[in-house]
Amino acid sequence: MNQPKSPAMRRLMRRFWPLMAAYVVLLLSVGPIIDAPTASLGAYLLAGLPALPLVGIIVSLALYLLEEADEFLKVRMVEALLWGLGAILVISTVWGFLESLAGAPQLPLHWLFPIFCVAMGLADLLARWRYR
Amino acid sequence: MRNQLKVLRAERDWSQGELAQRLGVSRQSVNAIETGKYDPSLPLAFRIARVFNLPIEAIFDDDATAEAVDIGPLRPR
């Protein structure tokens, strides 16, 4: 069931979607600009550009927690954030050992943010079911 | 925590949405509190009490209240 969004959640969505769009655009445009991985300062700055909108999304989540006046919705968001953080901690720790000790393929670190988002989404579904 | 929210709401013929509006919270919050899945903070519990014009303990009933024992009269030291 689609539940009405609080003003703070509407503000979060207004911040989230432009940042996500900026992330996709930067991700698609920065790759072709940098032909091959180089260690120059320019390459570092360019390569870091797609991460900026993701940092913006994390800041938006923090702002949501500050702005949400509904304590129950705030608790639900904190629970979802903890699930997301827990998921990336567990996955990166376990995979780190697999990489170091068993020669597993390297897990690109920038995958952690999408994994965090998926875990948060699943946590939100779980919360909807728990508090239905 | 057990509570009388559903009964009190029914007595006044308020929907969850209507109570939520009076409290300034989401309908999901009212539902979660009503079903005992979420315990409100003290400020929200006071707001709920004011909306129903009742003392908090007439609405919320924790196990400690239900199992309270008589400790006898308090004596000055």
Side-chain angles (χ1 to χ4, degrees):
Chain A
M1 194 177 72
N2 205 8
Q3 295 158 336
K5 291 180 171 60
S6 68
M9 180 53 80
R10 283 198 296 271
R11 277 198 292 277
L12 172 62
M13 289 297 111
R14 277 204 299 272
R15 290 169 185 146
F16 175 85
W17 289 113
L19 286 165
M20 190 45 89
Y23 168 66
V24 172
V25 169
L26 285 169
L27 191 67
L28 294 176
S29 51
V30 162
I33 295 173
I34 308 174
D35 287 340
T38 54
S40 71
L41 179 65
Y44 268 83
L45 291 175
L46 270 178
L49 275 182
L52 289 180
L54 301 187
V55 174
I57 288 174
I58 293 168
V59 172
S60 303
L61 289 168
L63 286 175
Y64 170 78
L65 289 181
L66 290 173
E67 292 170 354
E68 180 56 79
D70 189 307
E71 61 181 55
F72 170 68
L73 296 180
K74 197 184 288 196
V75 164
R76 264 183 51 173
M77 177 59 87
V78 169
E79 284 180 0
L81 286 167
L82 286 174
W83 276 100
L85 291 171
I88 58 172
L89 274 174
V90 167
I91 289 170
S92 57
T93 303
V94 171
W95 201 262
F97 277 106
L98 296 184
E99 274 181 33
S100 306
L101 305 175
Q106 195 182 17
L107 175 70
L109 284 177
H110 60 262
W111 279 32
L112 290 178
F113 191 83
I115 294 170
F116 167 74
C117 291
V118 168
M120 269 191 72
L122 291 175
D124 187 55
L125 286 178
L126 181 74
R128 280 165 194 262
W129 175 77
R130 260 184 71 199
Y131 298 116
R132 70 195 183 279
Chain B
M1 204 186 314
R2 287 190 298 271
N3 65 75
Q4 302 298 314
L5 231 57
K6 195 170 184 176
V7 175
L8 295 168
R9 198 167 55 73
E11 282 172 5
R12 286 155 182 80
D13 203 20
W14 292 346
S15 66
Q16 283 188 343
E18 203 172 340
L19 175 58
Q21 210 168 13
R22 287 170 189 268
L23 291 168
V25 299
S26 63
R27 194 201 56 78
Q28 298 102 296
S29 302
V30 169
N31 184 56
I33 296 167
E34 199 170 284
T35 52
K37 289 171 182 165
Y38 174 74
D39 291 337
S41 67
L42 200 51
L44 180 53
F46 270 109
R47 261 187 2 244
I48 293 169
R50 272 197 293 273
V51 161
F52 287 116
N53 204 21
L54 287 168
I56 287 180
E57 56 269 34
I59 303 171
F60 295 98
D61 177 26
D62 68 341
D63 293 338
T65 313
E67 292 164 14
V69 288
D70 184 10
I71 56 167
L74 291 172
R75 280 174 299 184
R77 287 167 191 252

